[in-house]
């Protein structure tokens, strides 16, 4: 099975920007377990932990901050490109 990295990045960005797995799931209209699984797949694919998670907080690791900083504009450019057709 091939991983859709674009979709995993989109979910990761939603988690970071909302600060919540539940809110990200609601905004993306997907089930919360799918958000958790997507983050796990992305971390496994990248080979690093992107977020520190507790029951109350989500914090980006240094690698997560770098990934967010680089993936956000890339995702926006991709959305713009796809939207232009």
């Amino acid at each position: 099975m091939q991983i859709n990295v674009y979709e995993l990045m989109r979910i990761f960005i939603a988690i970071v920007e909302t600060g919540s797995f539940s809110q990200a799931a609601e905004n993306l209209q997907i089930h919360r377990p799918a958000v958790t699984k997507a983050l796990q797949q992305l971390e496994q694919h990248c080979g690093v932990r992107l977020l520190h998670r507790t029951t109350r907080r989500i914090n980006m690791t240094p690698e997560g901050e770098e990934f967010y900083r680089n993936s956000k504009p890339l995702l926006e450019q991709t959305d713009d490109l796809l939207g232009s057709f």
Side-chain angles (χ1 to χ4, degrees):
M1 181 175 116
Q2 191 170 11
I3 295 175
N4 183 344
V5 177
Y6 173 83
E7 186 66 19
L8 299 180
M9 287 171 43
R10 191 168 70 89
I11 292 169
F12 171 73
I13 289 170
I15 295 167
V16 170
E17 291 182 347
T18 62
S20 162
F21 282 67
S22 297
Q23 190 62 51
E26 186 176 320
N27 290 358
L28 296 171
Q29 299 180 336
I30 59 178
H31 295 288
R32 189 195 179 289
V35 171
T36 301
K37 184 172 182 165
L39 179 63
Q40 290 169 344
Q41 287 178 328
L42 183 60
E43 288 178 331
Q44 184 177 21
H45 185 74
C46 293
V48 295
R49 173 158 252 156
L50 299 171
L51 298 175
H52 289 295
R53 310 177 269 293
T54 67
T55 56
R56 296 186 184 269
R57 299 184 91 178
I58 297 171
N59 295 310
M60 284 188 282
T61 63
E63 295 84 2
E65 289 178 21
E66 183 178 350
F67 190 85
Y68 176 78
R69 206 173 37 252
N70 289 303
S71 64
K72 174 117 173 126
L74 180 62
L75 194 64
E76 288 171 348
Q77 290 172 356
T78 303
D79 287 342
D80 289 347
L81 174 64
L82 293 174
S84 70
F85 289 98

